[in-house]
Amino acid sequence: MTQPFRAPSGGSVRGDRPIRFTFDGRGFDGFEGDTLASALLAHGVHLIGRSFKYHRPRGIMSAGSEEPNALVTVDRGGGRVTPNLRATTVELYEGLIARTQNAWPSVRFDLGAVAGFAAPLLGAGFYYKTFMWPASFWKRIYEPAIRAAAGLGRAPAAADPDRYLHRYAHCEVLVIGAGPAGLAAAKAAQGRVILCDEQAEAGGSLLSRLETTIDGVPAAAWIASGLEDRVTVLTRTTAFGWYPGNTIALAQRVTDHLARPDPGLPRERLWLVRAKRVVIATGAIERPQVFPGNDRPGIMLAGAAETYLHRYGVLPGHKMVVSTAHDRAWFTAFALARAGVTIAGILDQRQAVVEALLNQARDAGIPVWTGARVVGTGGRRRVRFVETEGGPAVIPCDSVLMSDGWTPSVHLFSQSRGKLRFDPDSGVFLPGVSAAEEQSAGACAGEFDLAACLAAGHRAGGGSTRTFSVAHEPRFGAPSRPSPAQPHAKAFVDFQNDVTTKDLAIAASEGFRAIEHVKRYTTAGMATDQGKTGNLNALATVAQLTGLTIPDIGLTTFRPPYTPVTFGTLAGTSRGDLFDPVRRTPIHDRDAVFEDVGTWKRAHYFPQRGETMHEAVARECRAVRGDLGLFDASTLGKIEVVGPDAAAFLNRLYPGDFTSLAPGRCKYSILLGEDGFIRDDGVIARVAPDRFHVTTTTGGAASVLHHMEDYLQTEFASLRVWLTSTTEQWAVIALQGPRAAEALAPFLDDIDLTTMPHMSVREGHFAGVPVRLFRVSFSGELGFELNLPADFGRPAWDLLRETGATRYGTETMHVLRAEKGFFVAGQETDGTVIPDDLGLGWTIARRKPDFVGKRSLARPDMRREDRWQLVGLLTADPAVVLEEGARVTGADRESLGHVTSAYRSATLGRSIALALVAAGRGRIGTTVRVPMPGGDVTATVTSPVFHDPSGARMTAAIERLPGRVTRNLVSRPATVPTVQPSTEVAMTLVPAMRRFNVRTGVNLAPPLRAAGHTALWLGPDEFLVLDDKPPPIQADSLVDVSHRTTGIRLEGPRAAWCVNAFCALDLGDFPMDACARTLFGKAEIVLWRRGETEFHIETARSYLPYVWACLEEARREFLPAAAPR
Amino acid sequence: MLLIPCPWCGPRPELEFHHGGEAHIARPEDPSALSGTEWAAFLYHRGNPKGSHAERWRHQHGCGRFFNCVRDTVTDRIVVTYKPDEKRPA
């Protein structure tokens, strides 16, 4: 296939490597190195799409990411459809399939183009004015119709099958933009340097400067010299966002340019780079001229034409008109003329042009008109002629090159909170006062001379002042200032959103002045290109229309992203199974139906064959009340409170009295905030005089520890007490029901249950395994909770099933506790409930002089008679179950409160509910009405305790018990799937070992490894000791946490890279044997560097599958290509 | 993402930290001696300055320590961090 517009020579595309692709179903060929735009232009294809509003034919205006017109959809197959890609940045690969957008039936014959005839009706704000009546039509008819007619590409419906990764990186200098200034900066910079550029290769404008030499070296060779090794060069990588702390977000497109990418590679990678210093070298964007009909296919920016000629060897046309107001475009005309293009004329708006240019044009036989401009164009699907003022009435042509000057790309500088200044000489905004550690260099700072750009870049990169000798570079004057344009319905300012100078005039005539208002009224600058080419033209035009200056009108805010970023890149691995860690208990009995409780999977109920949930729950409830139930309570929060002042600390923190609590006994307590409202609750056991085992709710585990640490570190800092989270150390099994003691006793090696009253605790052994045994009950029956080292949780569960106990889940647990009137934090409480509201005033040791929340409980409002109080509700119809959250109303339909819990109770053979009702305890026996979707339901107010009000069942004495049975449990540690070996980065699970959490008031600085143990520093008084036996350290608090975490070993040259895919630490500043508690994605870990290329990661056991799977994702690109991925 | 200098661990990423409200608000020695108005002021009244603000942070996912931090609420720049028992630097 011939390419009629491919120049006979020139360009860096590989003419010996043809590539086939299709565009709207038609086959084409291009060359390796082409973009979709350059390949289509080589075939003379200029018509690429239809415009957003008027469906006007549109072509290719630029050669870069600023392109407003040439938007296409690329289909990579298998659901990989990406709309709104700029053809100018889509790199060609074998088999590429691209389609036009917003045109039907085809881009050549688009029925939507009738919108062009309606254009007079569709000006700025038309939908506010035209579709006013009737109001109800807006949502149903007008808006859907407008949305269907307008728009760009369609979002794909299928799930995105590609993978995306994130990566944290650190460097001394980040250089954004690999043009001349950026390259000079990167070469001068010291330390770790990252250089990124949105294009496929570094070089920027140098790629089009074929003859220029720098310090005697041809520009093309100068680009790569001096970058090797030292500088991380990221091409196809857009710096799209600037965030606090000199954190720059980069979107790296890894595989989209490849026909058959390695499936181990992510499609895109989000880099979060923290740079000590940033050099912004983002260059400048050429401005189109604003004249009627300036949007026709074939009309292009002059600099873009030069790029197509020099980089791709493509001629945008054979007969061109050049329209400009500054010198630079003249050189473009000369270069194209040398390549064989007929230049039908240069129109320069200036009256006077330097003699040298006029002479060169004359020598090249190019007609020139100064003081001349284009005032109209013609041609249906491509420009065929221009109409001029100051030149011939009509000049026939097949393309027009326009240039109104250059706008510095100050987007990132502005995002960094730097203050822009308006430069009256050049008529553009330039970087003013910096707010971050950055420096702009080159064209983005208003410098357009090559030698000066190189010198500025060199200085910005950290180099000393020096000059660069540049030769064979054309000399040209400063770019022109933005020129205002006359209102005209077809003179486009914002091409992508179809905004014309007439729309701006409408806005001005209706009183809009501030550019932010004009922008929103006309939508100028609001399309996917964010007005990169159009904004300054809009400003200049509005300034002229309103008689104001550009600084008066202001500038719209630059926001991330600089260019569109895929959702996949932003999400990274945080989707599907890795969106959140999925935490399973050590027991995780798969016979259950699970429910999500926070990030935990908890057994909801255990259905037997054919049972509905209600049937299963009713059976489970009856089993607990009448026989024996088995429940996995491992998710309960647990905190070990150790130290001589442990009781004093709890006394200040909780309302109860802990100094009088004897070792071996438990106390139920509520936790209050300083405002007196209930935060959490749990059972607190005194295991030893200086050691308490505190339990919290499942959801409250982290916040209660945080609350405790807050008071301990800041208010009660003199107390000698230390806290250790043991939530994951223990698996917890609740054994509840009349048969509990009888079933449990045979497996207890050294605990006599007959000595255990209700609310007591013992330490001993269960089937050969250490156990912390509580006699507590959340069901109202005789019950125990076994705390076992987590690896023994599942074996113990299986052993206890042999007793014939019925497994039950959280739903049954909730029904049982509601029958007893036990509240659940977050269900009965909402941050406004105090203990007395729940009838729990008895838990408060009122004689204590102070505890957290006491002063607030003394406020008059806390003693009001009409506070909402917890009561029971029994519906008149026992079959009706109230809705949780339903309002409780009185005789006059006044609101009295709301229903907090409602269940079917198998025990009572009817429905029950708990409610918070104003002065509720005084209303017991009265009737209330509860509005429900089917009408009011009548209910009687009762005590919240429906079952065994005296508590005799759970406090019953334990007498005769069966004899002991010898059983020995075998531990079942956490496991992970086997992994592919890799020499780049190997991953293994560290074998089980003993671990101790050591807290010490003495600031201990032990050698990390001594006498066979390793002490990992976690904080100023906290160490994690990995050892076989308790460490020889003088510890104030020593807690065995052997089962709490699991170790992962990561080894190989890519180990640090994989860690940095999820961890934000600077591993370049993390020496051998350094360790830190930190975050890895959404999991907390302890990271320990064991060698240059070896890391040990400690992760809580429930987070192990998440951390493991994340590391697998990070490793995939380093697996041998032959291995299954 | 801010880089916050923990007084014990050095500069660490913002992700690891948890904000803890205004600093230097000590819990009264004897809350029961306070009037309702005084207690309300302790519980709820906080400064909201434009500019330098002393606030508490906790290195939640690091060393676990609370510390104080002077941050400029306009520029989001951290001026200084210091241990909880230390006075606010001038």
Side-chain angles (χ1 to χ4, degrees):
Chain A
M1 191 185 254
T2 58
Q3 300 180 8
F5 290 84
R6 188 75 71 172
S9 65
S12 54
V13 293
R14 297 287 302 266
D16 56 334
R17 292 194 190 167
I19 288 177
R20 285 159 301 164
F21 68 101
T22 67
F23 179 63
D24 266 353
R26 195 176 143 206
F28 289 96
D29 59 2
F31 296 131
E32 188 179 302
D34 262 328
T35 63
L36 178 59
S38 68
L40 288 171
L41 288 174
H43 288 276
V45 176
H46 277 255
L47 176 60
I48 305 294
R50 292 277 173 167
S51 73
F52 180 69
K53 201 153 94 178
Y54 304 128
H55 290 249
R56 287 173 65 86
R58 288 285 166 81
I60 296 162
M61 195 175 88
S62 74
S65 67
E66 70 272 30
E67 176 62 37
N69 283 339
L71 299 186
V72 296
T73 296
V74 172
D75 187 347
R76 301 180 61 91
R80 295 172 168 84
V81 178
T82 314
N84 300 344
L85 289 175
R86 291 141 295 176
T88 52
T89 64
V90 173
E91 292 177 58
L92 219 53
Y93 58 84
E94 183 64 34
L96 179 140
I97 297 170
R99 289 194 292 268
T100 51
Q101 303 181 158
N102 201 31
W104 187 87
S106 80
V107 71
R108 289 177 63 80
F109 304 99
D110 175 24
L111 287 177
V114 295
F117 298 109
L121 302 175
L122 300 180
F126 76 96
Y127 37 71
Y128 305 129
K129 299 168 186 164
T130 316
F131 300 101
M132 294 291 285
W133 186 90
S136 63
F137 272 37
W138 176 252
K139 263 252 159 304
R140 285 189 293 122
I141 295 173
Y142 297 144
E143 186 179 336
I146 293 168
R147 281 190 187 280
L152 302 167
R154 296 189 186 283
D160 185 345
D162 283 316
R163 295 168 57 238
Y164 301 83
L165 287 176
H166 287 182
R167 162 157 195 74
Y168 295 96
H170 297 77
C171 63
E172 273 65 49
V173 182
L174 168 67
V175 183
I176 301 169
L183 284 164
K187 292 175 188 194
Q190 298 296 314
R192 293 172 294 177
V193 182
I194 296 177
L195 171 66
C196 71
D197 194 283
E198 62 179 357
Q199 298 203 39
E201 54 185 325
S205 63
L206 293 178
L207 295 170
S208 296
R209 285 168 149 123
L210 303 183
E211 287 150 21
T212 303
T213 63
I214 298 168
D215 290 344
V217 180
W222 182 85
I223 290 170
S225 68
L227 285 178
E228 311 83 1
D229 306 336
R230 286 191 325 107
V231 179
T232 304
V233 181
L234 302 174
T235 54
R236 303 183 177 93
T237 303
T238 305
F240 68 85
W242 191 298
Y243 302 93
N246 259 38
T247 308
I248 322 299
L250 316 178
Q252 181 187 24
R253 294 168 292 281
V254 181
T255 62
D256 264 7
H257 62 291
L258 302 170
R260 274 177 301 279
D262 178 342
L265 289 172
R267 179 186 175 213
E268 296 179 1
R269 196 191 312 272
L270 176 71
W271 291 67
L272 290 162
V273 179
R274 192 188 289 285
K276 292 209 167 61
R277 224 154 44 76
V278 179
V279 177
I280 303 174
T282 46
I285 293 172
E286 196 169 14
R287 281 191 309 279
Q289 286 187 322
V290 183
F291 51 79
N294 62 347
D295 66 327
R296 259 178 239 285
I299 302 178
M300 181 181 282
L301 293 167
E306 200 173 327
T307 301
Y308 285 117
L309 172 66
H310 291 322
R311 281 185 65 186
Y312 303 102
V314 168
L315 307 172
H318 286 148
K319 190 176 183 190
M320 301 179 180
V321 169
V322 177
S323 174
T324 186
H326 63 98
D327 298 353
R328 177 73 191 269
W330 290 63
F331 292 96
T332 307
F334 301 151
L336 284 161
R338 280 197 299 278
V341 173
T342 303
I343 304 296
I346 298 176
L347 301 163
D348 197 313
Q349 290 180 18
R350 296 173 294 182
Q351 295 296 341
V353 174
V354 291
E355 200 63 27
L357 290 178
L358 295 171
N359 292 339
Q360 200 171 342
R362 192 180 53 237
D363 294 349
I366 299 173
V368 168
W369 292 275
T370 57
R373 67 179 73 224
V374 177
V375 292
T377 67
R380 277 189 66 199
R381 297 189 194 98
R382 177 160 179 184
V383 64
R384 291 284 167 231
F385 61 87
V386 298
E387 297 162 342
T388 83
E389 188 181 279
V394 168
I395 308 177
C397 61
D398 67 358
S399 48
V400 177
L401 309 188
M402 58 180 171
S403 180
D404 186 53
W406 299 76
T407 308
S409 291
V410 294
H411 305 68
L412 285 171
F413 172 79
S414 179
Q415 282 186 33
S416 78
R417 298 190 182 190
K419 214 170 154 56
L420 293 167
R421 67 180 176 86
F422 183 74
D423 181 44
D425 294 336
S426 57
V428 296
F429 286 93
L430 295 175
V433 182
S434 285
E437 306 303 319
E438 54 67 41
Q439 193 172 345
S440 295
C444 68
E447 183 56 71
F448 289 92
D449 175 72
L450 179 57
C453 283
L454 291 165
H458 182 79
R459 274 196 311 282
S464 51
T465 304
R466 63 159 286 193
T467 54
F468 287 79
S469 85
V470 169
H472 307 293
E473 167 80 359
R475 303 287 301 174
F476 36 77
S480 55
R481 302 161 47 86
S483 44
Q486 295 304 312
H488 190 284
K490 283 174 185 162
F492 287 86
V493 173
D494 182 321
F495 291 75
Q496 199 175 114
N497 263 358
D498 269 352
V499 181
T500 66
T501 48
K502 187 186 168 196
D503 296 318
L504 298 175
I506 292 172
S509 72
E510 293 183 7
F512 292 97
R513 291 293 178 271
I515 197 65
E516 293 281 6
H517 294 156
V518 174
K519 167 180 167 176
R520 280 157 185 78
Y521 193 60
T522 63
T523 73
M526 290 173 69
T528 65
D529 66 337
Q530 291 283 290
K532 285 184 179 59
T533 52
N535 276 354
L536 216 61
N537 284 335
L539 276 177
T541 302
V542 173
Q544 164 150 310
L545 288 165
T546 56
L548 299 169
T549 65
I550 288 180
D552 285 339
I553 299 168
L555 188 63
T556 54
T557 309
F558 293 99
R559 294 192 184 86
Y562 174 69
T563 48
V565 178
T566 62
F567 285 115
T569 302
L570 298 175
T573 53
S574 291
R575 58 183 197 153
D577 291 344
L578 294 182
F579 178 72
D580 252 341
V582 176
R583 304 170 71 192
R584 298 187 173 86
T585 71
I587 292 165
H588 197 72
D589 190 330
R590 290 181 187 279
D591 290 345
V593 172
F594 288 90
E595 70 164 340
D596 291 332
V597 179
T599 48
W600 287 103
K601 290 283 179 201
R602 294 199 73 180
H604 194 198
Y605 58 99
F606 288 83
Q608 292 184 348
R609 192 183 301 273
E611 270 185 340
T612 65
M613 173 173 154
H614 287 303
E615 290 163 353
V617 170
R619 175 181 50 75
E620 292 170 11
C621 286
R622 281 192 296 268
V624 178
R625 293 275 180 247
D627 180 48
L628 186 59
L630 196 59
F631 177 69
D632 177 4
S634 301
T635 62
L636 277 184
K638 302 161 210 80
I639 300 165
E640 193 103 331
V641 179
V642 181
D645 294 328
F649 172 66
L650 293 175
N651 242 22
R652 295 196 197 183
L653 207 71
Y654 282 86
D657 176 15
F658 290 90
T659 45
S660 67
L661 186 71
R665 298 306 300 261
C666 306
K667 183 183 279 291
Y668 169 78
S669 192
I670 285 169
L671 182 69
L672 303 180
E674 200 70 271
D675 54 15
F677 297 121
I678 294 174
R679 291 284 189 278
D680 203 81
D681 72 334
V683 168
I684 297 174
R686 190 166 201 170
V687 182
D690 63 347
R691 185 174 293 253
F692 288 81
H693 177 121
V694 175
T695 65
T696 75
T697 60
T698 295
S703 61
V704 171
L705 183 61
H706 180 77
H707 176 87
M708 285 184 170
E709 285 285 0
D710 190 348
Y711 277 92
L712 184 55
Q713 292 180 33
T714 65
E715 297 294 349
F716 310 144
S718 63
L719 295 181
R720 291 176 53 75
V721 54
W722 291 268
L723 312 172
T724 304
S725 168
T726 51
T727 301
E728 303 236 21
Q729 164 70 13
W730 303 108
V732 183
I733 301 172
L735 199 61
Q736 303 276 309
R739 203 155 61 78
E742 181 192 323
L744 178 61
F747 305 118
L748 292 173
D749 303 331
D750 45 12
I751 299 175
D752 180 2
L753 293 182
T754 62
T755 68
M756 284 189 73
H758 181 53
M759 298 304 276
S760 63
V761 63
R762 296 286 183 276
E763 289 188 294
H765 291 81
F766 169 87
V769 174
V771 66
R772 207 171 254 184
L773 180 66
F774 289 67
R775 183 175 168 190
V776 289
S777 174
F778 196 44
S779 66
E781 300 302 323
L782 172 66
F784 297 92
E785 286 181 6
L786 294 84
N787 285 258
L788 299 149
D791 286 354
F792 293 100
R794 185 58 198 258
W797 175 266
D798 292 339
L799 176 61
L800 286 167
R801 282 192 64 196
E802 292 177 17
T803 65
T806 299
R807 292 168 296 178
Y808 67 97
T810 49
E811 189 65 20
T812 293
M813 179 267 283
H814 272 281
V815 175
L816 298 172
R817 66 92 197 170
E819 289 170 352
K820 285 289 293 174
F822 293 153
F823 86 97
V824 165
Q827 186 149 352
E828 271 68 38
T829 67
D830 59 4
T832 67
V833 177
I834 61 173
D836 190 57
D837 297 343
L838 302 181
L840 292 169
W842 61 269
T843 63
I844 297 171
R846 297 190 187 277
R847 286 199 207 127
K848 287 200 303 187
D850 188 20
F851 57 84
V852 173
K854 182 179 168 82
R855 174 63 186 86
S856 289
L857 292 180
R859 289 170 52 215
D861 196 58
M862 304 300 205
R863 297 150 176 259
R864 277 197 356 243
E865 302 270 304
D866 62 344
R867 287 190 65 84
W868 288 9
Q869 295 168 334
L870 188 70
V871 293
L873 293 181
L874 291 175
T875 50
D877 178 353
V880 172
V881 181
L882 294 173
E883 275 191 12
E884 291 174 357
R887 203 121 289 278
V888 177
T889 65
D892 299 326
R893 301 193 66 84
E894 76 279 20
S895 176
L896 298 176
H898 66 261
V899 176
T900 58
S901 297
Y903 302 98
R904 289 192 177 94
S905 163
T907 311
L908 279 76
R910 56 156 301 134
S911 72
I912 58 168
L914 297 174
L916 284 167
V917 173
R921 289 197 281 272
R923 292 181 200 270
I924 288 175
T926 66
T927 302
V928 293
R929 290 193 299 176
V930 181
M932 292 265 289
D936 281 8
V937 172
T938 306
T940 306
V941 180
T942 69
S943 152
V945 186
F946 299 100
H947 174 71
D948 188 26
S950 72
R953 295 176 70 88
M954 65 182 183
T955 56
I958 299 169
E959 285 157 2
R960 279 174 297 118
L961 289 171
R964 243 188 91 222
V965 178
T966 303
R967 297 291 288 266
N968 280 301
L969 295 182
V970 178
S971 77
R972 200 180 300 174
T975 58
V976 288
T978 53
V979 299
Q980 290 293 332
S982 160
T983 51
E984 292 286 298
V985 49
M987 180 160 79
T988 49
L989 211 55
V990 177
M993 62 168 85
R994 300 292 299 275
R995 296 173 175 83
F996 298 92
N997 195 273
V998 175
R999 306 296 294 261
T1000 166
V1002 185
N1003 198 352
L1004 184 72
L1008 195 69
R1009 276 177 268 192
H1013 72 267
T1014 303
L1016 302 180
W1017 186 94
L1018 302 182
D1021 67 349
E1022 185 174 10
F1023 298 84
L1024 178 66
V1025 176
L1026 309 177
D1027 202 351
D1028 284 338
K1029 53 190 183 305
I1033 291 176
Q1034 187 61 44
D1036 289 298
S1037 160
L1038 183 70
V1039 178
D1040 185 341
V1041 292
S1042 305
H1043 295 248
R1044 187 175 70 172
T1045 52
T1046 307
I1048 299 171
R1049 183 165 299 167
L1050 206 60
E1051 197 171 2
R1054 289 297 193 166
W1057 173 283
C1058 289
V1059 172
N1060 271 145
F1062 292 90
C1063 174
L1065 291 187
D1066 181 359
L1067 298 181
D1069 186 24
F1070 199 76
M1072 169 79 177
D1073 269 344
C1075 63
R1077 189 156 47 193
T1078 183
L1079 281 176
F1080 182 91
K1082 292 174 181 171
E1084 191 176 281
I1085 61 164
V1086 175
L1087 182 69
W1088 168 31
R1089 184 169 219 152
R1090 301 200 58 173
E1092 178 56 33
T1093 61
E1094 184 184 348
F1095 291 89
H1096 176 115
I1097 295 171
E1098 282 282 311
T1099 169
R1101 60 181 299 138
S1102 70
Y1103 284 95
L1104 174 66
Y1106 169 81
V1107 172
W1108 189 265
C1110 286
L1111 285 168
E1112 277 286 47
E1113 275 296 298
R1115 280 175 83 239
R1116 253 161 90 169
E1117 60 190 291
F1118 305 116
L1119 295 181
R1125 299 185 199 259
Chain B
M1 183 164 40
L2 295 174
L3 191 65
I4 300 176
C6 169
W8 287 278
C9 304
R12 297 282 283 266
E14 181 186 347
L15 291 172
E16 295 178 2
F17 295 84
H18 191 278
H19 190 262
E22 188 175 350
H24 304 299
I25 296 177
R27 188 173 187 270
E29 280 294 311
D30 181 9
S32 66
L34 266 59
S35 71
T37 309
E38 290 165 335
W39 184 246
F42 161 71
L43 268 190
Y44 297 119
H45 295 183
R46 296 292 181 270
N48 185 23
K50 181 179 178 181
S52 278
H53 187 40
E55 54 197 18
R56 298 166 359 117
W57 285 81
R58 183 179 178 218
H59 195 188
Q60 175 112 328
H61 299 292
C63 68
R65 297 290 97 186
F66 278 85
F67 61 91
N68 293 332
C69 166
V70 176
R71 185 176 60 95
D72 189 309
T73 58
V74 178
T75 63
D76 218 11
R77 284 199 180 233
I78 289 169
V79 181
V80 64
T81 57
Y82 50 103
K83 294 178 182 177
D85 53 353
E86 293 172 358
K87 281 207 157 51
R88 177 174 175 169

